[in-house]
Amino acid sequence: MIIRRANEYEINHLFQWSLSLTEELSAGYMESNLHMAHDMVSKVLSHGGYYLIAQHGWEVMGWILLGFDQNFYKNNPVGFLYELYVFPPYRKNGVGKILMKEAMDQLKQAGMKSVQLNVFAGNSAKNMYKKLGFKEVTMLMEKEL
């Protein structure tokens, strides 16, 4: 397996995959929304963010979208992991963990002192994030009216 930056051609594919996987990535919270997804990815990529791909042979096993943001509460720069996805046949084999560690290493090399991510309550990757040292900072709560 190799981990590398996605090229322009792959970025378009990753965006399409992400769009079709929106419901899964959000643990059922969101429906696919082309405009919103395009805006988010474009903003991340235009501010120095990029995709890393886990690849075995010609097969893409998964990806992570990393970038840079501002910690709203502490008002300092922070690395941010916007999206992690591993295709089902490659899950439970450490691919997500390897992508996470590589992304965090690259953010550290870029001078970031901390890294954040947002995870939906029902997302099973939450356990992996905790094992990698992430801790809960805030909890968004919602009630339908």
Side-chain angles (χ1 to χ4, degrees), residues 14 17-18 21 51-53 62-64 83-85 87 99:
L14 294 172
W17 281 331
S18 294
L21 298 165
Y51 284 101
L52 291 176
I53 291 177
W63 68 87
I64 192 165
E83 183 178 287
L84 171 68
Y85 190 80
F87 286 108
L99 280 165

Side-chain angles (χ1 to χ4, degrees), residues 61-72:
M61 303 166 77
W63 68 87
I64 192 165
L65 176 59
L66 62 144
F68 307 93
D69 209 331
Q70 192 73 15
N71 181 320
F72 177 78

